[in-house]
Amino acid sequence: YAYFDKREYEIAIEDYNKAIALDPNDVLAYYNRGAAYTMKENINKAIFDFQKACDMGDEISCKNLQKALQNR
């Protein structure tokens, strides 16, 4: 989260990748990685992560998914 807050999105994405590798059911890691991809304007990867987190029941991810789909 610290790297995201410092706008070091690439490093944040690497950390979220590690978190997901350790726990593939970590909803927040998918949501946060999707947010980092959004900041890097990689909408397709953001959509994938928001969809994954939405499928796990995260309502905020579902809302962000809809926004990302509209901005594609």
Side-chain angles (χ1 to χ4, degrees):
Y1 305 114
Y3 288 117
F4 185 92
D5 287 341
K6 292 169 39 175
R7 299 180 184 196
E8 295 183 26
Y9 303 119
E10 198 61 45
I11 299 171
I13 289 168
E14 290 174 16
D15 283 353
Y16 297 133
N17 289 341
K18 292 174 188 173
I20 291 167
L22 291 171
D23 181 3
N25 296 312
D26 186 341
V27 175
L28 286 176
Y30 283 105
Y31 169 79
N32 288 320
R33 188 174 70 176
Y37 280 132
T38 299
M39 298 307 291
K40 290 183 53 78
E41 298 182 3
N42 192 332
I43 300 303
N44 289 329
K45 288 187 177 184
I47 288 170
F48 175 85
D49 283 342
F50 290 143
Q51 181 69 62
K52 184 78 171 171
C54 180
D55 290 345
M56 289 187 223
D58 185 60
E59 291 183 30
I60 295 171
S61 293
C62 296
K63 291 177 185 177
N64 282 314
L65 173 62
Q66 293 304 315
K67 289 179 190 175
L69 289 169
Q70 291 172 355
N71 293 327
R72 186 182 336 179

